[in-house]
Amino acid sequence: MHPPRILLIRGRAEPDVVDGIPDEYLQMNGSYEMTPEQRVEWEAEVRSLYDGMVRIVVTPTWAKLIDFETTLPSAIEELVRRRAERERA
């Protein structure tokens, strides 16, 4: 994806042990192009490999999106500012 997007999150993270495969894991991996038959086979393979997983639950206290279109990391903003100052000198 271009331009890149970065989500920064601060907060409390806690492990959540899940029996079996969490639905969101299967949904997230649904973005791959598979035929319905391939999808059934893939899910069966995943379920046969793992008895469970650990989900990391984050309760955010702060978040920032850097999308490189409307927001830049502060270090890059500083470099752009310095370049502009050099060009004016």
Side-chain angles (χ1 to χ4, degrees):
M1 176 185 309
H2 190 78
R5 294 183 193 137
I6 300 169
L7 177 62
L8 305 172
I9 298 175
R10 293 183 189 150
R12 180 180 176 90
E14 298 181 50
D16 177 29
V17 178
V18 177
D19 289 331
I21 308 301
D23 289 337
E24 59 268 26
Y25 179 84
L26 298 172
Q27 291 168 359
M28 176 208 45
N29 286 290
S31 62
Y32 298 109
E33 291 188 25
M34 291 185 229
T35 65
E37 295 79 19
Q38 290 171 323
R39 177 73 187 184
V40 169
E41 290 176 20
W42 176 81
E43 282 193 26
E45 183 70 18
V46 169
R47 292 180 193 283
S48 73
L49 291 173
Y50 304 102
D51 294 331
M53 292 185 166
V54 174
R55 175 190 298 130
I56 299 172
V57 179
V58 177
T59 304
T61 58
W62 176 90
K64 180 177 183 175
L65 174 66
I66 299 174
D67 62 11
F68 289 86
E69 287 182 309
T70 61
T71 310
L72 291 174
S74 58
I76 294 176
E77 287 177 339
E78 178 64 19
L79 290 172
V80 170
R81 185 188 63 76
R82 288 180 187 175
R83 181 184 64 192
E85 288 176 357
R86 283 193 312 269
E87 290 173 354
R88 283 192 301 259

